[in-house]
Amino acid sequence: MQDRKWSRREVLKASTAAVAGALFAQPLRAASLPPTAVTPALIDAARKEGKISYYAAIELNVAERLGKMFEAKYPGITVRVERSGAERIFQRIAQEQDSGIHAVDVANSTDVSHYLDWKKSGWLAPYLPEDVAKYFPADQFDPDGMYATSCAWLEVIGYNTGLVKPEDAPKSYADLLDPKWQGKIVKGHPSYSGAVLTTTFVLARDLGWPYLEKLAQQKVMQVQSAGDPPKKIMLGERAVMADGNDYNLVLFKDQGKPVEVVYPQEGSPLIIVPCSVFQNAPNPNAARLFQSFFFSAEAQQMLVNEFAHRSFHAQVKPRDGQTPMSSLKLLKSDPAAVQAASEEIKARYSKVFRV
């Protein structure tokens, strides 16, 4: 990351990982944990527990839809969704674990570096759903079965088509520095959103902190989650978003709302959203059943069709009309480097944007 006082060894290590597009600590190693199929015994044991506590960093409507779908498939098991930003979830789980409180069964986060912390702390339970082993690329799950990518999306630029003409719209991150956008931009905050933290890491690495310092001079409206900027431009509260998820804009366009997606010329940060079962889950069997369901073709296709998320499941069909990831330039992060720099990113960002 530009301006950070890393050793030469750290810089080379992080750069190599970024170029390789590494998503997990050891993406090329074969899975060391045998996959687990859903059995009648697992279903019976889960029904006896009767509930799941699911901590979700994906948007509330998505998490609740997933929970209702699970409850319909497995009557008698209730899913309690606890939704917050990824960084808030990380803080909450740390506080609970340090206090000996075991409340979370399953959690997903938009900050992959959280899983490195949780795995190192011994808080995650090894569990490899059969679908993950069969249909997911090896670089999308931890070889020890501690977590896997439940969905993904891209962080993008977007604009309100009622306020901005296509020929005037920004095409790149550099375009956002044009004085004409002063007071017209909205973006998320890395201290709340794991997706924005990852995006900030990537932009600081590739474009440098001087770029972000110039962006901060544009009188940017600051919001929390990566899901907030798309809503702000859809409502016309701002003309352009500097970051935010692509899926909300796709869904808004389908509804006839005046928004457009811009995949920046410099590349679009790829956000992957892992999910894991916790070691001291109060409902361990229900947690494992939910994890298997989350990674099933049925649930993954729902995420693609209904919410325009991306799936790495080989049997899932792409969403009609959505730009495939294979045709886009992707900016991939290195979780270990994000983990090392996360607190510095949050502090520096807050100072630069004065919020």
Side-chain angles (χ1 to χ4, degrees), residues 227-303:
D228 290 338
K231 297 167 188 174
K232 293 296 184 182
I233 63 169
M234 183 271 288
L235 294 170
E237 294 182 28
R238 282 295 185 273
V240 174
M241 71 181 202
D243 59 29
N245 59 61
D246 64 337
Y247 64 82
N248 268 328
L249 295 183
V250 171
L251 296 176
F252 288 152
K253 282 187 68 176
D254 285 353
Q255 298 166 16
K257 304 297 184 182
V259 296
E260 187 57 76
V261 183
V262 176
Y263 295 102
Q265 292 172 354
E266 298 92 341
S268 302
L270 172 65
I271 306 302
I272 61 172
V273 186
C275 193
S276 58
V277 174
F278 274 71
Q279 183 66 42
N280 293 309
N283 306 290
N285 295 294
R288 286 166 173 77
L289 185 61
F290 184 81
Q291 182 82 337
S292 286
F293 172 75
F294 203 164
F295 288 93
S296 68
E298 177 185 8
Q300 292 286 303
Q301 192 70 64
M302 181 275 291
L303 292 172

Side-chain angles (χ1 to χ4, degrees), residues 2 9 19 29 35-36 73 76 88 224 232 234 256 269 276 286 289 304 319 321 347 351:
Q2 197 160 344
R9 181 178 180 183
V19 171
R29 202 178 95 200
T36 301
K73 187 176 181 68
R88 296 290 186 269
Q224 290 187 325
K232 293 296 184 182
M234 183 271 288
S276 58
L289 185 61
V304 171
R319 195 174 194 273
K351 182 178 179 180

Side-chain angles (χ1 to χ4, degrees), residues 2 13 17 37 82 115 128 143 191 195 220 226 261 300:
Q2 197 160 344
K13 182 178 179 182
E82 298 283 349
Y115 294 85
L128 183 62
S191 290
V220 174
V261 183
Q300 292 286 303

Side-chain angles (χ1 to χ4, degrees), residues 158-227:
Y159 64 95
N160 182 300
T161 57
L163 301 175
V164 181
K165 296 178 181 179
E167 60 268 26
D168 296 330
K171 304 297 189 297
S172 66
Y173 288 113
D175 288 346
L176 296 176
L177 302 183
D178 191 310
K180 71 182 180 182
W181 301 124
Q182 192 169 93
K184 299 179 180 179
I185 298 173
V186 60
K187 73 181 304 299
H189 199 292
S191 290
Y192 180 84
S193 167
V196 178
L197 176 65
T198 297
T199 300
T200 306
F201 168 85
V202 168
L203 295 184
R205 180 193 68 196
D206 295 357
L207 304 182
W209 276 101
Y211 167 78
L212 291 168
E213 290 166 0
K214 292 175 183 176
L215 183 63
Q217 294 172 15
Q218 292 285 67
K219 298 181 181 178
V220 174
M221 173 191 277
Q222 187 70 66
V223 292
Q224 290 187 325
S225 134

Side-chain angles (χ1 to χ4, degrees), residues 26 35 55 68 97 104 125 134 137 157 174 220 236 258 267 312 327 348:
Q26 295 172 301
Y55 288 18
K68 294 301 181 185
Q97 295 288 332
V104 58
K134 283 184 176 181
I157 294 171
V220 174
F312 289 97
S327 68
R348 189 165 183 177

